[in-house]
Amino acid sequence: LTGSTSAQSITFSATSSFAITGYRCKLNAAAYAVCTSPWSTGALSAGVNTITVEATDSNGKTGTATTTI
């Protein structure tokens, strides 16, 4: 997204043998925040941006996924 500050909306899901109880998202080096799918990143800085989503299941296990745009 060189030279752009467009917001992006991402859609995500997770699977587990236990129910997914929540998600947390973060953009680049920002702190995690509770989020839902779809999630809007807000304005992005020019260049490469990294989005990380963390899912937690009812057994307390977490998993993360990261994508770079």
Side-chain angles (χ1 to χ4, degrees), residues 6-21:
S6 297
Q8 298 293 312
S9 179
I10 62 167
T11 302
F12 52 85
S13 63
T15 58
S16 171
S17 54
F18 296 93
I20 300 298
T21 58

Side-chain angles (χ1 to χ4, degrees), residues 12-24 35-37 53-63:
F12 52 85
S13 63
T15 58
S16 171
S17 54
F18 296 93
I20 300 298
T21 58
Y23 295 100
R24 297 189 319 155
C35 62
T36 58
S37 180
V53 177
E54 177 186 83
T56 302
D57 69 19
S58 61
N59 199 37
K61 294 185 178 180
T62 59

